[in-house]
Amino acid sequence: MDTGPNDAAGDAAAASHAKSAPERNVVVAGNRINSRELFADERELLITHGEDTYRLRLTFQNKLILTK
């Protein structure tokens, strides 16, 4: 599946962000994570799944958007 040229840029951004971002701990209770902990400092997270990178964003309307 061809994901287009933006994927390489997203992967590079994810790698660069992962190296510069400070480590932090998030509490996992069973299979739940509180989104307040995930978005404590930022409104966007990068999630790697296999070789793909996804962006999880918290909108100003307090909704979550997951994009590839």
Side-chain angles (χ1 to χ4, degrees), residues 27-33:
V27 176
V28 178
N31 64 350
R32 292 178 181 247
I33 299 173

Side-chain angles (χ1 to χ4, degrees), residues 39-53:
F39 295 103
D41 299 329
E42 300 188 32
R43 298 192 70 83
E44 182 175 278
L45 299 171
L46 297 175
I47 301 170
T48 56
H49 179 68
E51 294 188 18
D52 295 321
T53 299

Side-chain angles (χ1 to χ4, degrees), residues 10-66:
D11 290 344
S16 139
H17 186 317
K19 291 177 186 173
S20 64
E23 275 191 34
R24 58 190 171 117
N25 296 321
V26 176
V27 176
V28 178
N31 64 350
R32 292 178 181 247
I33 299 173
N34 189 323
S35 64
R36 286 189 180 121
E37 289 189 42
L38 288 175
F39 295 103
D41 299 329
E42 300 188 32
R43 298 192 70 83
E44 182 175 278
L45 299 171
L46 297 175
I47 301 170
T48 56
H49 179 68
E51 294 188 18
D52 295 321
T53 299
Y54 296 83
R55 293 179 189 275
L56 182 61
R57 292 185 295 133
L58 179 62
T59 70
F60 288 105
Q61 294 179 339
N62 205 35
K63 301 196 185 269
L64 296 175
I65 298 176
L66 180 66

